[in-house]
Amino acid sequence: MTDSGEIHERAGQRRYSTCGELRPEHIGRTVTLKGWVNRRRDHGGLIFLDLRDRYGITQVVANPQHSPESHRVAETVRNEYVLSVTGTVTARPAGTENPAMATGAIEVQAEQIEVLNPAKTPPFYINEDTEVDETLRLEFRYLDLRRERMQRNLILRHRVVKFIRDYLDARDFIEIETPHLVKSTPEGARDYVVPSRIHPGHFYALPQSPQQLKQLLMVAGMDRYYQIARCFRDEDQRADRQPEFTQLDLEMSFVDTEDVMALTEGLFTALFEKLASKPILQKPFPRLTYAEAMLRYGSDKPDLRFGMEIGDVTDIVAQSAFGVFANTVQSGGVVRGIAVPGQADISRSQVDQVTEQARTFGAKGLVWIGLQAGDGGELTPRSPVAKFLSPDEIAGMAERLGAGPGDLMLLVADQAPVAANVLGRLRVSLGHALGLVNTGVHAFCWITEMPFFEWDEEHRRWEAAHHPFTSPMDEDLDILESDPGRARAKAYDIVLDGYELGSGSIRIHRRDVQNKIFELMGYDDAEIERRFGHLLRAFEYGAPPHGGIAPGIDRVVMILAGEENIREVIAFPKNQSAQDLMLGAPSPIDQAQLDELHIALKLPKPAGA
RNA sequence: GGAGGCGUGGUGUAGUGGCCUAACAUGCAGCCCUGUCAAGGCUGAGAUCGCGGGUUCGAAUCCCGUCGCUUCCGCCA
């Protein structure tokens, strides 16, 4: 911005310099800087002021001999005062340059300092990157956002979104806004609802995603649509989940899975090569079927930045003298395990900890076997159950899991989904605890052939695993009814560093097929018409085959920023109780407002009443 | 709904039954200081240890309850 020596000029604004742009080529110029006092160093005579804005920090010198008036003002200013400083850009005296600062070769000799606004002492440090209680940060978010870390994150977020827009624009996508006041769809997440004043007793819902609307845009012939879409879900929070969040929602006509995946992969590859500080581990992105991911990683969002893959040893121990293994296999279960490198000599208390962890993940127990190198090079097992296992069984398991001398084997015997889940979580937990995760790279992967249905134990029925508009795989059409648990969908998830970035699918575009799916899910005709009539009707008027995906923008930016919490990349996030601590939302509304909306409150009794 | 962690001057921490009349750093206020950049020096103010109850001769510390924040599980078509 300053390569030409020209000072940045903003349209419609009086000319002044930012605190990040002055360089030696500007020496001799008279400039005006506007910004916040980052620090003041008062030497009695000289006073140094570090003036800060979004662009950087510039040192201002108030010299009583040069300008007694500005020195007098500089004595009164404090941190976070807003100043307008006019002065001359000068070279710093030899030996006092600061190479750590972008503007460290120069300084501005103040000729006039105007206090545009004084400031109270802030409740936490703005000029230091120290941990501060998040409640306080959120309450004073406008001060928190002044801090360098948050400025960096929000600027990064802007660049990500800008990149995405440019990338998709260059590929014939158009951005279309869809409404925020839409119709409630009770399946899936809970809706945030908005009462209608004009229609007493009727409510809008805020969209959980623009899913149906973007499909209707395909019917409308928009061909390629995207939106940086705000989505709302009234569910409990996590470090990577907020009640309102932003998705890159996109949809394409006349495509199959490969087209959507290629577009998405191209976008993320280009985006990360432009904006990430770490390389992508594998290009093209590895693909795993859902079944394979569950088997090898015990998760549908595997972190491929480290190994420690799960191995299945069911066949090896099916006839074992160790009853837990043999009985589990007998009753249709599996025995699977992971090898933990270098942990053969794990302490008893550590084993107890890991076992307890496994229990919280749903395991009945955890078998551990430390493999110590014997004198003759053979493996000596160290385990409370070693006496029940034959040397062949132990050697076989070690080979299957890739465990060698010095390693620890952890084994779970249970039904396959439980064993996968427990080991998948142990893998992640231990991988991080033992520093096995290569945090110097980003690892993308695709999960394909997702299951079509999921059994909903609570409602005793089959639910769409992705959403009910997803197309089944052609080869599984005939088992949809006979064996719904085995049917697969034309759905794919994109996964990054162990986070699910987004899900996509090829949609159903024919009314008869969509109807069939709703019927399989247990809806009768009246209910189908009431809930989805608009979509089904649209399908009768020439709906093209179409599909898309919706990666989470917040998660992408979070990972790019190296943050572990989504709140760090959202300007005004909610806390875990879904409150905005700065605005004080949600809040009660007056009786007059309630009356106008025809709403009577039925509040829970206060505790203890 | 459930489980864990945390809660001590403005901020970040230490203190885990008596040495606490609560420490350290930073910030804040005042004074000194003309080349600092986390400036430096001196002085000072600032905490009913989240709240309530209990155990004890004695509680920041132990117990019970409660509130707040947070992480995870459930939940998130």
Side-chain angles (χ1 to χ4, degrees):
Chain A
M1 75 189 145
T2 60
D3 293 346
S4 63
E6 279 308 303
I7 291 173
H8 204 100
E9 192 162 356
R10 282 164 201 73
Q13 217 169 345
R14 268 184 311 147
R15 188 181 182 118
Y16 68 90
S17 306
T18 72
C19 296
E21 69 186 309
L22 297 176
R23 296 289 185 277
E25 62 261 33
H26 302 115
I27 286 166
R29 291 192 193 222
T30 297
V31 296
T32 297
L33 298 176
K34 295 172 194 286
W36 289 259
V37 175
N38 193 58
R39 270 201 176 82
R40 186 178 72 115
R41 292 178 295 280
D42 185 346
H43 286 236
L46 284 181
I47 297 174
F48 296 98
L49 299 175
D50 288 343
L51 206 62
R52 182 195 70 233
D53 64 14
R54 163 153 72 88
Y55 309 93
I57 290 175
T58 298
Q59 174 165 283
V60 172
V61 187
N63 187 327
Q65 263 136 42
H66 185 71
S67 167
E69 175 58 21
S70 59
H71 182 264
R72 196 189 57 72
V73 177
E75 280 186 309
T76 68
V77 308
R78 294 293 181 268
N79 284 349
E80 302 310 318
Y81 274 38
V82 188
L83 305 183
S84 175
V85 176
T86 300
T88 313
V89 182
T90 56
R92 292 197 184 187
T96 68
E97 302 90 348
N98 186 346
M101 286 173 77
T103 61
I106 58 91
E107 61 196 9
V108 172
Q109 291 287 342
E111 272 133 38
Q112 197 204 341
I113 299 178
E114 185 190 350
V115 175
L116 299 176
N117 209 348
K120 289 168 73 173
T121 301
F124 51 83
Y125 304 108
I126 288 168
N127 52 18
E128 281 180 31
D129 187 23
T130 47
E131 286 299 315
V132 178
D133 177 51
E134 205 179 352
T135 306
L136 201 60
R137 291 177 57 200
L138 291 176
E139 191 183 337
F140 293 93
R141 191 60 158 179
Y142 42 87
L143 296 181
D144 190 39
L145 294 181
R146 253 186 225 167
R147 308 212 300 171
E148 201 254 333
R149 171 192 187 184
M150 296 306 293
Q151 300 242 325
R152 195 175 355 106
N153 289 352
L154 291 185
I155 292 166
L156 174 65
R157 186 182 178 114
H158 159 77
R159 293 203 172 117
V160 168
V161 171
K162 172 79 162 67
F163 185 94
I164 290 170
R165 285 198 158 108
D166 291 344
Y167 189 93
L168 294 176
D169 175 66
R171 284 157 184 79
D172 291 333
F173 282 80
I174 55 173
E175 182 167 15
I176 301 174
E177 293 169 85
T178 53
H180 278 176
L181 296 177
V182 295
K183 185 177 171 174
S184 182
T185 53
E187 49 289 305
R190 274 185 279 265
D191 285 321
Y192 279 101
V193 296
V194 178
S196 163
R197 172 180 58 82
I198 298 173
H199 303 279
H202 287 58
F203 295 81
Y204 302 98
L206 302 180
Q208 297 178 24
S209 93
Q211 179 62 34
Q212 294 185 44
L213 291 158
K214 73 174 171 179
Q215 290 191 243
L216 292 169
L217 286 171
M218 294 302 102
V219 180
M222 292 304 160
D223 190 51
R224 295 184 148 204
Y225 139 95
Y226 81 98
Q227 183 180 191
I228 307 299
R230 191 63 58 85
C231 306
F232 304 85
R233 294 180 190 173
D234 186 5
E235 295 294 343
D236 288 346
Q237 317 304 302
R238 287 289 186 280
D240 62 350
R241 269 165 36 186
Q242 278 274 301
E244 56 176 306
F245 61 101
T246 307
Q247 286 190 333
L248 164 58
D249 191 52
L250 69 85
E251 197 77 2
M252 307 160 78
S253 290
F254 308 111
V255 291
D256 210 332
T257 50
E258 288 299 327
D259 302 296
V260 181
M261 290 169 75
L263 181 280
T264 307
E265 185 160 336
L267 168 62
F268 277 106
T269 302
L271 175 69
F272 272 61
E273 285 177 348
K274 167 105 177 189
L275 291 174
S277 55
K278 305 165 185 175
I280 297 171
L281 181 64
Q282 272 182 276
K283 290 181 295 188
F285 303 165
R287 294 184 182 191
L288 297 163
T289 65
Y290 176 85
E292 194 182 357
M294 294 308 289
L295 188 64
R296 289 168 57 191
Y297 300 99
S299 168
D300 58 0
K301 45 180 182 177
D303 191 341
L304 299 189
R305 292 175 301 170
F306 68 110
M308 241 170 94
E309 285 187 29
I310 297 167
D312 191 300
V313 299
T314 308
D315 56 315
I316 297 171
V317 297
Q319 309 296 325
S320 177
F322 183 42
V324 172
F325 285 176
N327 295 339
T328 301
V329 178
Q330 192 86 51
S331 59
V334 300
V335 181
R336 292 180 190 167
I338 50 175
V340 189
Q343 297 296 313
D345 299 319
I346 188 168
S347 75
R348 197 54 219 230
S349 67
Q350 284 173 308
V351 164
D352 288 345
Q353 259 180 36
V354 175
T355 304
E356 183 48 41
Q357 212 179 358
R359 285 217 176 85
T360 66
F361 295 152
K364 294 186 209 52
L366 184 69
V367 170
W368 62 277
I369 305 171
L371 296 176
Q372 294 164 326
D375 298 334
E378 81 285 4
L379 292 175
T380 310
R382 169 176 168 258
S383 169
V385 302
K387 56 179 176 275
F388 303 113
L389 293 161
S390 73
D392 280 355
E393 286 170 346
I394 287 173
M397 287 192 291
E399 195 194 340
R400 184 73 52 82
L401 302 184
D407 296 345
L408 172 73
M409 296 195 288
L410 297 176
L411 298 145
V412 174
D414 214 310
Q415 295 305 303
V418 176
N421 182 42
V422 170
L423 287 165
R425 285 163 188 251
L426 281 181
R427 172 180 176 271
V428 169
S429 162
L430 291 168
H432 279 94
L434 297 172
L436 303 174
V437 181
N438 179 359
T439 53
V441 296
H442 288 300
F444 283 94
C445 68
W446 286 103
I447 307 297
T448 62
E449 300 181 26
M450 308 288 288
F452 190 85
F453 283 119
E454 233 163 39
W455 179 248
D456 180 352
E457 190 56 46
E458 193 188 340
H459 298 101
R460 309 287 304 165
R461 65 188 184 102
W462 291 100
E463 288 240 328
H466 183 49
H467 53 58
F469 316 114
T470 299
S471 178
M473 282 177 65
D474 300 332
E475 48 270 60
D476 290 354
L477 279 172
D478 49 346
I479 60 166
L480 267 180
E481 272 181 274
S482 57
D483 194 358
R486 270 190 46 229
R488 293 161 299 167
K490 288 185 185 173
Y492 31 83
D493 280 4
I494 185 166
V495 172
L496 169 59
D497 297 351
Y499 289 94
E500 184 199 307
L501 271 196
S503 292
S505 66
I506 299 302
R507 328 296 183 188
I508 297 166
H509 64 283
R510 290 178 46 140
R511 170 160 193 155
D512 54 344
V513 180
Q514 186 68 72
N515 238 61
K516 185 85 204 157
I517 298 300
F518 287 141
E519 280 168 23
L520 285 172
M521 291 173 60
Y523 294 128
D524 60 35
D525 287 349
E527 195 163 23
I528 293 172
E529 172 56 31
R530 186 170 61 78
R531 289 191 179 177
F532 305 108
H534 53 279
L535 189 69
L536 293 168
R537 216 162 299 126
F539 285 173
E540 294 177 344
Y541 288 96
H546 60 283
I549 193 166
I553 298 282
D554 312 279
R555 286 184 188 169
V556 171
V557 178
M558 174 183 87
I559 292 166
L560 279 171
E563 296 285 0
E564 292 189 344
N565 196 299
I566 209 174
R567 292 187 297 268
E568 304 297 349
V569 297
I570 297 174
F572 299 105
K574 309 284 187 286
N575 71 2
Q576 193 168 36
S577 328
Q579 295 165 303
D580 184 316
L581 295 175
M582 183 182 67
L583 299 175
S587 62
I589 58 175
D590 325 346
Q591 190 58 47
Q593 267 180 298
L594 288 171
D595 289 346
E596 197 167 50
L597 295 167
H598 318 285
I599 289 178
L601 298 179
K602 197 168 99 187
L603 298 173
K605 290 190 172 61

